[in-house]
Amino acid sequence: MTKNRVLICTFLALTSGLVGGYISGQITSILHSQKCQNQGWVLKEVCNAWVTPGAMWQGSTTGLWTGTVLGAFAGGLVTRQSRN
């Protein structure tokens, strides 16, 4: 059971980390691109091109860490054994 528990916890942690990284990257990118909305068309495109990579990096790493920790915690709760 211990081997299966480790595999389940690892799978849940990695999966939730990747999903959290993707979602957080998208949200952060959208929030940062709102700073460019008051510009003209050309300046807005340049601003978005400048802001998006940093926002994606920041959001993705934050979401990856947070998702991995929460996924590992959830995996531990799901696979814990009751003590009688």
Side-chain angles (χ1 to χ4, degrees):
M1 178 63 181
T2 304
K3 195 177 218 181
N4 289 338
R5 183 175 187 206
V6 170
L7 290 175
I8 291 170
C9 286
T10 302
F11 177 75
L12 281 174
L14 292 176
T15 303
S16 65
L18 291 174
V19 170
Y22 175 75
I23 292 172
S24 182
Q26 294 297 317
I27 291 171
T28 306
S29 177
I30 290 168
L31 291 175
H32 281 265
S33 69
Q34 287 180 351
K35 296 176 184 177
C36 303
Q37 295 304 316
N38 296 334
Q39 307 294 328
W41 179 76
V42 174
L43 289 176
K44 183 165 60 169
E45 295 302 319
V46 171
C47 180
N48 281 332
W50 182 263
V51 168
T52 300
M56 287 295 290
W57 178 259
Q58 178 186 7
S60 295
T61 53
T62 302
L64 181 69
W65 281 104
T66 305
T68 302
V69 169
L70 292 177
F73 180 72
L77 288 177
V78 167
T79 60
R80 76 178 173 146
Q81 300 169 352
S82 61
R83 296 183 185 197
N84 293 328

